[in-house]
Amino acid sequence: MLQMKHITITHRRDMRTMINDFSMVLNEGDKAAIIGEEGNGKSTLLKLIYDETLVEAYADVSGEIIKNGLRIGYLAQELDEAQKDRTIYEFLSECEAFYLLTPKELSDIAGELSIEMELFYADRKVGQLSGGEKVKLQLARILMERPDLLCLDEPSNDIDIQTLEWLESFIRKTNLPVLYISHDELLLEHTANKIIHLEQIRRKTEARYTIAAAGYREYVQNRQKSLSRQEQEARNERSEYKKQQERFRQIQQKVEYQQNAISRQNPHGGRLLKKKMHAVKALEHRFEKEFEQMTEMPETEDAIFIKFGDKILMPNGKRVIDFSLEELKAGERVLAKQIRLSVTGPEHICIIGKNGTGKTTLLRKIAEELLARKDIHAFYMPQNYEELLESNQTPVEFLADIGDKEETGRIRTYLGSMKFTADEMSHTVGALSGGQKAKLFLLKISMRGADVLILDEPTRNFSPLSGPVIRNMLKNYKGAIISVSHDRKYIKEVCPTRYELTEEGLKRAPDEEYGQN
């Protein structure tokens, strides 16, 4: 249905090739997930497929995209401010098909998305909707246009667990081919039947891609086996080569010694040694050719590596917080009442709940209290990074305390370990991807040595390949964690204590499996 031939995308700012000579065919029934580390061009590829004008301001593109008259439904990663300021009815009215569909057709779309059809005519602002409601509203508008293909950029961001499970079912059951990006590992495991892996290797100087007709878990396992097998073959060949080289050196040294020792009165013996040395040189040339043809050591774009200092320690008996709030409000609307939260020692807790219940609002209030404390060192990572990031800062400036040469050098080393190139270290924060911004917060946590972390959706912008690294790092963190998340693997692996935010306050959540089967 969709064909891409020899697509190359180059970022104009630093002339970095994000995608090189990419070719792909997307067929009916394909549920193709695009994976890769932050800044590898995943969103750019989706935008290019939908409308090349969306990337022309920052990227140069060559190659051919054959759509054959396909109607493509595109769900952007973020709505723009103008769209958020419209009412739901105004937002849908921009779609001409909204007026052409019968009430039954609109009802069928609403049913497919598990929403009430009355929402289509609501005068609420789009920006006031929860994350899950925004995703469903955008999908409703897309489905009204009767697309032949869905391109979804991070549809799993900011939606609650119930909506995540609905989204999994929607992707599996829809008859449309789906090309999508997601950082949610379980969603990938439960939905994808094709994997498109974009990589940047050789310190982001070379772009590489892999397409596999496999599920996500199968792809990761097969990839790891293949890399391990290739690495072992390369090591064995190099070990044998080293032994051959040692034997060769012994022969060469022996012949050279004999040449130096032979008497001029024995020209016949000299000629024989000359032939022997010629054979030795031919052997050396053969060894060099064999070395060139050896199995290469596998080069991959490894997941990020970072760890917190061992000095971080929260005593078991220390009272981290006794928080109480009679009413949690958003404007004049009461979201929850009688909220009580007590955290002691190095507890790792997660607050879960449906979209729109006020989890982020609650976490901000908890952060305000903890950040003001002098007996602990708290750090807050907001869901909206722009709350604490200045868009015109560079990554180095954001991380710096004093800004001297020694500190700057240390920061640049840290950024390099998080896969930032020298050019990206000089970019403004506003030009970075969501995942790169998240990395800055993790680095700041590591550098500051905080003993209490307040984290709002800490894993939402990391690639699925980096997800296990982040979870393991936070699981082994020796301080306290108070977090909000919809990431089912994070909830299960990092936070033994879970609370659900309801209208009646925080309720202890049961020890569920969060869909991990």
Side-chain angles (χ1 to χ4, degrees), residues 396 400-408 411:
V396 174
D401 279 330
I402 55 179
D404 63 12
K405 185 176 180 181
E406 181 181 349
E407 183 189 51
T408 298
I411 289 171

Side-chain angles (χ1 to χ4, degrees), residues 18 30 91 164 255 257 267 288 308 430 513:
M18 294 189 287
D30 282 345
F91 178 78
L164 268 172
V255 174
Y257 173 78
E288 289 174 352
F308 295 137
E513 288 299 312

Side-chain angles (χ1 to χ4, degrees), residues 240-496:
E240 183 60 32
Y241 176 77
K242 188 176 180 180
K243 293 176 184 176
Q244 288 178 340
Q245 285 291 89
E246 183 59 34
R247 290 194 294 267
F248 167 74
R249 277 192 294 270
Q250 291 174 0
I251 295 170
Q252 188 177 40
Q253 288 170 359
K254 184 177 180 181
V255 174
E256 287 175 348
Y257 173 78
Q258 290 173 342
Q259 276 189 319
N260 292 332
I262 195 167
S263 169
R264 291 184 180 180
Q265 284 78 27
N266 186 2
H268 177 69
R271 286 194 296 273
L272 288 176
L273 286 174
K274 189 173 181 180
K275 288 182 179 180
K276 196 169 185 179
M277 179 56 76
H278 181 73
V280 168
K281 291 294 183 183
L283 184 62
E284 180 181 26
H285 181 66
R286 181 166 67 84
F287 283 164
E288 289 174 352
K289 292 199 72 172
E290 287 179 356
F291 182 76
E292 292 173 358
Q293 296 170 0
M294 277 186 188
T295 303
E296 292 185 0
M297 291 293 286
E299 180 156 3
T300 62
E301 182 182 46
D302 296 325
I304 62 172
F305 173 78
I306 188 174
K307 65 178 181 178
F308 295 137
D310 296 331
K311 294 181 180 179
I312 297 171
L313 186 63
M314 176 66 67
N316 284 334
K318 184 173 182 62
R319 182 71 64 183
V320 176
I321 192 171
D322 270 321
F323 181 84
S324 62
L325 188 67
E326 295 306 309
E327 289 185 333
L328 179 67
K329 291 184 174 182
E332 294 302 315
R333 187 161 63 101
V334 176
L335 302 173
K337 295 181 178 181
Q338 303 299 322
I339 295 174
R340 303 288 183 269
L341 177 66
S342 179
V343 179
T344 305
E347 275 192 280
H348 292 181
I349 78 159
C350 187
I351 300 171
I352 63 174
K354 295 181 180 180
N355 287 123
T357 55
K359 299 183 297 296
T360 290
T361 303
L362 174 60
L363 201 67
R364 283 199 196 102
K365 291 185 178 296
I366 293 171
E368 287 174 8
E369 182 171 319
L370 289 173
L371 291 170
R373 292 259 297 275
K374 302 298 183 184
D375 61 321
I376 59 174
H377 186 187
F379 186 92
Y380 174 48
M381 180 178 181
Q383 183 181 136
N384 179 11
Y385 304 140
E386 279 64 33
E387 287 182 32
L388 298 179
L389 287 174
E390 294 181 20
S391 61
N392 59 349
Q393 280 184 316
T394 66
V396 174
E397 290 169 342
F398 171 72
L399 295 170
D401 279 330
I402 55 179
D404 63 12
K405 185 176 180 181
E406 181 181 349
E407 183 189 51
T408 298
R410 187 167 65 251
I411 289 171
R412 293 182 75 86
T413 299
Y414 292 153
L415 287 168
S417 73
M418 297 288 274
K419 313 301 182 185
F420 280 78
T421 65
D423 285 328
E424 288 169 338
M425 295 178 199
S426 301
H427 288 180
T428 61
V429 167
L432 300 178
S433 70
Q436 289 171 316
K437 292 173 184 176
K439 288 179 181 179
L440 294 183
F441 278 95
L442 286 185
L443 273 177
K444 199 146 192 169
I445 292 170
S446 178
M447 293 172 64
R448 297 294 170 83
D451 53 12
V452 179
L453 303 182
I454 309 132
L455 309 175
D456 196 349
E457 295 286 1
T459 59
R460 67 191 287 263
N461 279 308
F462 287 105
S463 79
L465 297 176
S466 287
V469 178
I470 304 301
R471 294 194 301 273
N472 189 61
M473 175 188 69
L474 293 171
K475 177 182 178 180
N476 294 316
Y477 174 69
K478 303 299 183 183
I481 296 177
I482 303 172
S483 59
V484 165
S485 182
H486 298 134
D487 181 339
R488 291 160 288 180
K489 290 204 172 191
Y490 168 85
I491 295 168
K492 181 176 176 62
E493 295 175 20
V494 179
C495 300

